[in-house]
Amino acid sequence: MSVRALSLETPTTPPWHLRPAALATVGIARLLTYLPPQRLRKVLECARRGSRPATETRTLRARNAVVAVSVPCAGPRCLQRSIATALLCRMTGTWPDWCTGVRTQPFQAHAWVEVDGKPIGENIDEIRYFHVLMTVRSHR
């Protein structure tokens, strides 16, 4: 584990009306992290149904809210953070692309959200080294 993985993100304070929804999605996301990968994918595909593609601004706002209300999501729990971000976007009727991937040198697994192929809130230079294993794409 790298030193970067142990550091916490410092989000801006989200609007007060977004905090309860962010807390709820963080809790739901925590439970969903225990599902096997294929079942998790099916749950997220069901959640995505009927949504519009998310915008960068809304997705970043959702990610920021998730990180602001959850210390684990601000730190090493990328799977929980990415699921919570996608679910929080879904609560507003949109869906970002949800992705998981791995890299081999050094070995790491990671989960993130993106819009139009652009990782949201992530270092794009690091994400490009990950081989995408699973995605739940927005309907475009």
Coordinates of all heavy atoms in Angstrom, one line a residue, residues 10 32 40-42 51-52 80 97 99 105 112 116 132:
T10 N -9.4 16.0 1.2 CA -10.0 17.1 1.9 C -11.0 17.7 1.0 O -10.7 18.6 0.2 CB -8.9 18.1 2.3 OG1 -8.2 18.5 1.1 CG2 -8.0 17.6 3.4
L32 N -23.1 -3.1 0.2 CA -22.9 -3.6 -1.1 C -21.5 -4.1 -1.4 O -21.3 -5.0 -2.2 CB -23.3 -2.6 -2.2 CG -24.8 -2.3 -2.3 CD1 -25.1 -1.2 -3.3 CD2 -25.7 -3.5 -2.5
L40 N -22.9 -7.7 -7.3 CA -22.7 -6.2 -7.2 C -23.0 -5.6 -8.5 O -23.8 -4.6 -8.6 CB -21.3 -5.8 -6.7 CG -21.0 -4.3 -6.7 CD1 -22.0 -3.6 -5.8 CD2 -19.6 -4.1 -6.2
R41 N -22.5 -6.1 -9.6 CA -22.8 -5.6 -10.9 C -24.2 -5.6 -11.3 O -24.8 -4.6 -11.7 CB -22.0 -6.3 -12.0 CG -22.2 -5.8 -13.4 CD -21.5 -6.7 -14.4 NE -21.3 -6.0 -15.6 CZ -20.4 -6.2 -16.5 NH1 -19.5 -7.2 -16.3 NH2 -20.3 -5.5 -17.5
K42 N -24.9 -6.7 -11.0 CA -26.4 -6.8 -11.2 C -27.2 -5.7 -10.4 O -28.1 -5.1 -10.9 CB -26.9 -8.2 -11.0 CG -26.4 -9.2 -12.1 CD -27.1 -10.5 -11.9 CE -26.6 -11.5 -12.9 NZ -26.8 -11.1 -14.3
S51 N -32.1 6.0 -15.7 CA -31.3 7.2 -15.3 C -30.8 7.9 -16.6 O -30.8 7.3 -17.7 CB -30.1 6.9 -14.5 OG -29.3 6.0 -15.1
R52 N -30.4 9.1 -16.5 CA -29.8 9.9 -17.6 C -28.3 9.8 -17.3 O -27.9 9.7 -16.1 CB -30.2 11.3 -17.5 CG -31.7 11.5 -17.7 CD -32.1 13.0 -17.7 NE -31.5 13.8 -16.6 CZ -31.9 13.9 -15.3 NH1 -32.9 13.2 -14.9 NH2 -31.2 14.7 -14.5
Q80 N -16.3 1.4 -1.8 CA -17.4 2.0 -1.1 C -17.6 3.4 -1.6 O -18.8 3.9 -1.9 CB -17.2 2.0 0.4 CG -18.3 2.6 1.2 CD -18.1 2.6 2.7 OE1 -17.0 2.2 3.1 NE2 -19.1 3.1 3.4
D97 N -20.5 6.5 -15.2 CA -19.9 5.2 -15.5 C -19.2 4.7 -14.2 O -18.3 5.4 -13.7 CB -18.9 5.2 -16.7 CG -19.6 5.6 -18.0 OD1 -20.9 5.4 -18.1 OD2 -18.9 6.0 -18.9
C99 N -16.7 2.0 -12.6 CA -15.6 1.1 -13.1 C -14.8 0.5 -11.9 O -14.6 1.1 -10.9 CB -14.6 1.9 -13.9 SG -15.4 2.9 -15.2
Q105 N 1.8 -3.7 -11.8 CA 3.1 -3.2 -11.3 C 3.0 -1.8 -10.7 O 2.9 -0.8 -11.4 CB 4.1 -3.1 -12.4 CG 4.5 -4.4 -13.0 CD 5.2 -5.3 -12.1 OE1 6.0 -4.8 -11.2 NE2 5.0 -6.6 -12.2
W112 N -13.7 3.4 -9.3 CA -13.9 4.8 -9.5 C -15.1 5.1 -10.4 O -15.7 4.1 -10.9 CB -12.6 5.5 -10.2 CG -12.3 5.0 -11.6 CD1 -12.7 5.6 -12.7 CD2 -11.6 3.8 -12.0 NE1 -12.3 4.9 -13.8 CE2 -11.6 3.8 -13.4 CE3 -11.0 2.8 -11.3 CZ2 -11.0 2.8 -14.1 CZ3 -10.4 1.8 -12.0 CH2 -10.4 1.7 -13.4
D116 N -18.0 10.4 -19.5 CA -17.4 10.5 -20.9 C -15.9 10.1 -20.9 O -15.1 10.7 -21.5 CB -17.5 12.0 -21.4 CG -19.0 12.4 -21.6 OD1 -19.8 11.5 -21.9 OD2 -19.3 13.6 -21.4
V132 N -9.4 -2.1 -16.9 CA -10.7 -2.2 -16.5 C -11.3 -3.6 -16.5 O -11.2 -4.2 -17.6 CB -11.6 -1.2 -17.3 CG1 -13.1 -1.3 -16.9 CG2 -11.1 0.2 -17.1

